[in-house]
Amino acid sequence: MYTQLEQRGMSEPPINVATLRNMKEEGVAIACLTAYDASFAQLVDLAGVDLVLVGDSLGMVIQGHDTTVPVTVDDVIYHTRSVARGLRHAFLVSDMPFMSYTDPSQALDNAVRLMQEGGAMMIKLEGGADQVEIVKYLARHDIPVCAHLGLKPQSVHKIGGFKVQGRDPKHAARMIEAAKQLQDVGADIVLLECVPNELGEAVTKALAVPVIGIGAGPAVDGQILVLYDILGITLGRTPRFVRNFMTGHDAPLDAVREYVKAVRDRQYPAPEHCFS
Ligand code: KIV
């Protein structure tokens, strides 16, 4: 048993949910990135990234759409399969696309597809208190879940743009409550996007599970960014929380290594990447 780890020539076991939880307990910042293909997956894995997300951001950075809304389950499975082949150490999470989790049974069917056909180790879905029943159902079937709160890009047409969330104290309090409820019904990770530092810190303190932030300030348990943003590939205006790590480097591997170090040392995010 477990010989597969030796066959993969690994000096240490791959990251899993328990590793991530220990990192939170020990105060070791978790470095996460998106990836969509095997070559970049291999590169970010080698650079020491702990968690790789096949995000539905692939709809924007790979497929050229303006939003993540057109991405399908088949698209995510295709990219997850490719990424899974490139990883040896990092934990692999895949996004449940828009409208792929409208009820518990549909959510379970699609989560199982992402895991069995794609090779995902955890699925991520967007939503707050309204997703409690779905997360509970998935957790009851032992599907590892990451709950994405704050700015929910799949709701961009409803929100009216990519905007900072939770500035209003009532909205912030609701988000903290939703995060606790999602943890209590079985979410293993919470991802917080585009919220003020203070709210990032409050959610992190309120939860035992790791909180990964993107534009959620320095107090969260880990950081995630879109790979193409940190490599300076994304043209035009990028969000405030993005830092181009290619600056001063010739090779993407060195840039990703610097990203991992900056997250671990809590040098990223700096005040200019944060919201108040
Ligand atoms: O789809 C994605 O890449 C994401 C990250 C931005 C967190 O959800």
Side-chain angles (χ1 to χ4, degrees), residues 12 29 36 41 56 70 74 78 91-92 97 100 108 127 190 201 228 236 240 246 271:
E12 53 183 43
Y36 316 97
D56 58 359
D74 285 337
Y78 173 85
F91 190 67
L92 177 55
S100 67
L108 183 61
V190 165
E201 184 170 0
Y228 289 19
R240 179 184 171 96
M246 273 305 284

Side-chain angles (χ1 to χ4, degrees), residues 25-89:
E25 279 161 18
E26 287 162 17
V28 179
I30 303 166
C32 316
L33 275 178
T34 66
Y36 316 97
D37 65 53
S39 300
F40 273 124
Q42 223 175 340
L43 187 145
V44 303
D45 196 72
L46 188 62
V49 166
D50 305 301
L51 181 155
V52 171
L53 169 70
V54 179
D56 58 359
S57 52
L58 72 87
M60 298 167 84
V61 297
I62 304 286
Q63 297 174 335
H65 296 294
D66 287 337
T67 73
T68 59
V69 170
V71 175
T72 65
V73 174
D74 285 337
D75 291 336
V76 179
I77 289 172
Y78 173 85
H79 288 280
T80 301
R81 263 195 205 134
S82 308
V83 168
R85 290 186 200 113
L87 298 184
R88 297 165 81 84
H89 186 249

Side-chain angles (χ1 to χ4, degrees), residues 179-196:
K180 285 201 250 176
Q181 282 180 33
L182 289 161
Q183 169 184 266
D184 292 348
V185 297
D188 305 278
I189 296 183
V190 165
L191 188 145
L192 265 188
E193 178 162 357
C194 269
V195 299

Side-chain angles (χ1 to χ4, degrees), residues 34 53 55-57 95 124 148 191 214 224 226:
T34 66
L53 169 70
D56 58 359
S57 52
D95 253 336
K124 172 165 85 60
H148 183 149
L191 188 145
I214 174 163
I224 186 161
V226 169

Side-chain angles (χ1 to χ4, degrees), residues 119-131:
M121 297 162 179
M122 176 179 281
I123 61 86
K124 172 165 85 60
L125 49 78
E126 296 181 9
D130 42 337
Q131 299 297 355

